[in-house]
Amino acid sequence: VEVKIEVVIPEKERSKEEMSPNGKASPLIYKVNGTARHYHLEEHPIASNPYHNPKDMVEASVCHVKDLENGQMREVDLGCGKALLIKESGEFHAVGHKCPHYGAPLVKGVLSKGRVRCPWHGACFSIGTGDIEDFPGLDSLPRFQVKIEKEKVYIRASKQALQTQRRTKMMAKCISLSNYNLSSTNVLIIGAGAAGLVCAETLRQEGFSDRIVMCTMDRHLPYDRPKLSKSMDSQPEQIALRPKEFFCTYDIEVLTEMQVAAVDIKSKIAVFKDGFKMEYNKLLIATGNTPKALSCKGKEMENVFNIRTPEDANRVVKLATSKNVVIVGASFLGMEVAAYLAERAHSVSLVELEEVPFKKFFGERVGRAVMKMFESNRVKFYMQTEVSELREQEGKLKEVVLKSGKVLRADVCVVGVGAVPATGFLKQSGINIDSKGFVVVNKMMQTNIPGVFAAGDAVTFPLALRNNKKVNIPHWQMAHMHGRIAALNMLAHGTEISTVPYLWTAMFGKSIRYAGHAEGFDDVVIQGDLDELKFVAFYTKSDEVVAVASMNYDPIVSKVAEVLAAGRTIRKRDVETGDMSWLTGKGS
């Protein structure tokens, strides 16, 4: 695989990595609209053939044909907006220049075999169609017309598409909602996170025009859950993945504050906690996980939180401002919350059983570098200990007592000690659940029961990258892909999952990118400077690189993800020398 890139520095970036994601939404419940209509496929905005309104069009000469070599990308200005111009295999393509997920400049990403990968979070887009091919994110890129005249390259584009930099893929609508029995649906999706939403959207994109119902215990429409710990004061409407109108337009029904208590696989009926029953033809289980609680005295006290909803995050910020905060667990959630509150709270203390944060995930050396960054930002660590008691004063949390004997002042306590799959309601269902509570699926996200699929944090699935070892990967990107694969196979497409896991964490304005799956790694090869927080870490098992992490080293993680996605093996010796020539495709 050829992984070749020219980075052309654009004007000062207006978008910031951790800005709000797609759209805004109403937190109101959306249910059946009850009207009878006959629907067609539609796409917003129309960018691939945008000639309906000539006044909305712009055409500009952007370069000479010889200005770009094969495998190069350039961000070009059309006067009323920018586009990404790409040359590959002698052909020119033009698409939106910003990743629709968080607005990353795609010119800094990775071009490889007909697609461009985002440098920040790994989303992939076809350069021919603009369609999203890997996640995170929901929207595709607008595609613009390119023509060559007298050795000059011209781009013709819709002003609307240039300004929005996103395109919703063509989607179907229901044929007739009025004919449906309210207590039956063709597709029932339990859970309204990324996996559930992408499943519903993919079904519509593939032309499915029957009824789709999503149900969630949450009071909100699907939202960007990673924001809860990275940007804790975000309001629900700011982090909604789709606006309420979107669900109405495409007849994706969302039942909020509805909990499924049991599933009868023989009768194909889901029984809700309030007694309501719904028949289904196809079922997706995408319930995610449930945060673990502390087991010590005082755990039910006021001002002790698991961050599960926007309301939880907002409440913690309010209570923590200028107060003493104790965070239990140096997990991704715990560390991100600590980073967010460090400038707002009077003090932030973090309690952890391990000796170094992220040791099992990033390794000891990277973990210590991250810990040092936190300490320089006034976060105090209490390692290799745990909480023995939470003490109150006048009914509210006052102190956190550690098993080491240390007593910490605390007005707020945030618990981030892990999670368990939210699958208890399936125990008597006949659906295969492993010893840890995860739903077991195959490469097509199918369970052992025909017509029943599962996706997201609550599943174990075969990871192609690791010889189809059954793994649980609770990543935002992976949940998206699970949802898409499940939808395609509900429609009998026979599509197997083969994506490379990709995640990120953001702390103190810095991000760590990560791609691969390093569970059980035996060594870490580090290039760069850990003290300066500019490094890339290669995780190896025997003589093979199984994952990579970086900080201030973009787009190396996306480059490695492309190499792994192509099925190439990266050897330990390839990275030990510091020579990056193996990225060009001439290695193993």
Side-chain angles (χ1 to χ4, degrees):
V1 61
E2 180 181 356
V3 185
K4 185 177 181 181
I5 178 171
E6 177 191 51
V7 176
V8 181
I9 303 299
E11 295 176 12
K12 186 176 180 181
E13 299 299 333
R14 295 181 183 178
S15 60
K16 298 297 182 183
E17 179 175 349
E18 298 303 334
M19 284 175 61
S20 296
N22 321 352
K24 296 181 178 179
S26 164
L28 300 176
I29 297 173
Y30 168 64
K31 296 193 178 184
V32 182
N33 59 19
T35 57
R37 293 171 287 177
H38 198 82
Y39 294 121
H40 59 279
L41 292 165
E42 62 177 54
E43 186 170 14
H44 299 286
I46 299 173
S48 56
N49 188 24
Y51 304 122
H52 301 287
N53 181 6
K55 293 182 180 179
D56 182 50
M57 300 304 299
V58 60
E59 184 174 297
S61 171
V62 292
C63 71
H64 191 277
V65 291
K66 294 183 179 179
D67 287 346
L68 263 70
E69 295 181 4
N70 282 324
Q72 290 185 323
M73 301 187 292
R74 177 173 293 180
E75 196 174 273
V76 294
D77 196 333
L78 277 68
C80 61
K82 295 179 180 180
L84 183 68
L85 181 66
I86 302 164
K87 186 177 182 181
E88 190 173 66
S89 301
E91 295 186 1
F92 286 89
H93 305 270
V95 293
H97 76 287
K98 287 184 179 180
C99 178
H101 180 226
Y102 280 2
L106 292 175
V107 72
K108 294 184 177 181
V110 179
L111 175 65
S112 176
K113 289 195 174 180
R115 71 179 189 178
V116 59
R117 183 183 284 268
C118 172
W120 287 356
H121 306 136
C124 297
F125 305 90
S126 165
I127 63 174
T129 65
D131 286 351
I132 187 167
E133 296 184 346
D134 205 339
F135 302 92
L138 298 172
D139 291 314
S140 297
L141 298 174
R143 181 176 66 89
F144 309 124
Q145 183 183 26
V146 179
K147 65 178 182 180
I148 310 296
E149 287 185 0
K150 297 180 180 179
E151 299 294 292
K152 288 187 178 181
V153 181
Y154 291 83
I155 295 178
R156 191 179 191 203
S158 155
K159 293 178 183 177
Q160 180 190 6
L162 283 170
Q163 290 164 4
T164 59
Q165 288 293 315
R166 65 179 73 245
R167 172 177 59 86
T168 302
K169 289 179 71 174
M170 190 173 289
M171 297 179 75
K173 298 182 178 182
C174 271
I175 293 174
S176 177
L177 280 174
S178 63
N179 295 335
Y180 293 140
N181 181 339
L182 288 179
S183 62
S184 68
T185 182
N186 195 299
V187 174
L188 176 62
I189 299 171
I190 307 176
L197 180 57
V198 171
C199 179
E201 290 200 22
T202 301
L203 288 170
R204 289 286 184 249
Q205 289 163 4
E206 295 296 315
F208 182 80
S209 58
D210 214 322
R211 190 179 184 199
I212 300 173
V213 175
M214 300 173 67
C215 61
T216 173
M217 292 169 59
D218 214 309
R219 61 185 294 188
H220 304 293
L221 293 172
Y223 56 86
D224 190 345
R225 192 171 293 277
K227 281 284 186 178
L228 296 186
S229 53
K230 295 180 176 73
S231 183
M232 297 178 67
D233 58 355
S234 296
Q235 298 303 304
E237 61 272 16
Q238 293 175 310
I239 61 175
L241 294 174
R242 293 295 194 193
K244 178 189 175 186
E245 294 73 25
F246 178 93
F247 296 92
C248 296
T249 298
Y250 298 110
D251 295 310
I252 298 170
E253 301 166 52
V254 184
L255 307 181
T256 56
E257 299 183 282
M258 293 284 281
Q259 181 178 356
V260 174
V263 173
D264 183 337
I265 60 171
K266 291 182 180 179
S267 302
K268 292 190 172 183
I269 292 176
V271 182
F272 289 78
K273 192 174 182 180
D274 63 1
F276 178 66
K277 296 181 180 180
M278 181 171 281
E279 294 182 31
Y280 63 83
N281 182 33
K282 295 286 194 299
L283 177 68
L284 177 71
I285 299 161
T287 47
N289 55 39
T290 302
K292 290 181 181 177
L294 294 177
S295 57
C296 62
K297 180 181 176 182
K299 63 179 181 178
E300 304 294 340
M301 195 181 302
E302 190 177 340
N303 293 3
V304 179
F305 294 87
N306 289 113
I307 305 294
R308 189 63 185 166
T309 67
E311 288 77 15
D312 292 337
N314 295 171
R315 182 75 174 147
V316 167
V317 172
K318 184 176 180 180
L319 292 172
T321 301
S322 301
K323 300 291 185 178
N324 300 298
V325 180
V326 172
I327 297 166
V328 185
S331 57
F332 281 100
L333 182 143
M335 294 289 278
E336 288 170 1
V337 168
Y340 189 83
L341 295 179
E343 292 184 356
R344 295 164 175 81
H346 177 264
S347 70
V348 176
S349 301
L350 204 150
V351 181
E352 167 61 35
L353 268 172
E354 294 286 339
E355 58 181 322
V356 177
F358 300 136
K359 182 178 179 180
K360 291 181 180 178
F361 200 88
F362 290 135
E364 183 172 350
R365 292 174 63 192
V366 172
R368 287 198 184 279
V370 173
M371 185 174 175
K372 185 178 177 182
M373 175 179 72
F374 272 70
E375 289 173 331
S376 68
N377 283 278
R378 300 190 315 109
V379 176
K380 177 70 174 176
F381 286 90
Y382 296 88
M383 308 302 283
Q384 295 180 286
T385 187
E386 55 188 317
V387 176
S388 63
E389 182 185 356
L390 301 177
R391 291 178 181 167
E392 67 172 354
Q393 182 176 327
E394 299 179 357
K396 292 186 178 181
L397 177 67
K398 194 63 180 176
E399 294 176 335
V400 173
V401 183
L402 306 183
K403 287 192 175 178
S404 63
K406 182 71 176 178
V407 179
L408 307 176
R409 293 181 59 189
D411 300 293
V412 185
C413 179
V414 176
V415 181
V417 292
V420 294
T423 57
F425 70 103
L426 298 173
K427 285 184 179 179
Q428 306 301 320
S429 68
I431 296 169
N432 190 12
I433 308 292
D434 73 8
S435 60
K436 294 182 179 179
F438 295 109
V439 182
V440 180
V441 296
N442 62 16
K443 291 182 180 181
M444 294 184 283
M445 310 313 295
Q446 296 171 328
T447 68
N448 61 310
I449 306 300
V452 179
F453 299 77
D457 294 2
V459 310
T460 58
F461 69 101
L463 182 63
L465 191 67
R466 298 296 297 272
N467 297 317
N468 296 318
K469 177 184 177 182
K470 285 286 183 75
V471 297
N472 169 254
I473 301 180
H475 299 173
W476 190 238
Q477 168 258 355
M478 191 59 73
H480 285 69
M481 184 57 81
H482 282 183
R484 176 165 175 77
I485 299 297
L488 293 175
N489 291 307
M490 284 181 180
L491 301 175
H493 285 204
T495 306
E496 296 185 349
I497 189 165
S498 62
T499 187
V500 175
Y502 200 115
L503 71 86
W504 71 98
T505 182
M507 304 163 294
F508 300 112
K510 299 182 183 297
S511 287
I512 299 180
R513 327 269 187 222
Y514 177 99
H517 186 66
E519 184 179 22
F521 68 90
D522 51 36
D523 198 9
V524 186
V525 178
I526 294 175
Q527 297 176 11
D529 192 327
L530 285 172
D531 291 333
E532 295 295 323
L533 298 176
K534 184 176 182 179
F535 64 87
V536 54
F538 297 95
Y539 298 87
T540 64
K541 195 166 187 179
S542 298
D543 67 338
E544 182 181 344
V545 174
V546 292
V548 60
S550 80
M551 183 181 282
N552 292 316
Y553 231 96
D554 291 341
I556 185 65
V557 171
S558 287
K559 285 186 175 183
V560 172
E562 277 301 294
V563 173
L564 296 177
R568 282 186 55 222
T569 299
I570 305 171
R571 299 296 178 189
K572 185 177 181 179
R573 62 177 180 270
D574 294 336
V575 299
E576 284 180 322
T577 61
D579 182 0
M580 294 293 186
S581 61
W582 52 271
L583 280 172
T584 62
K586 298 178 181 180
S588 301

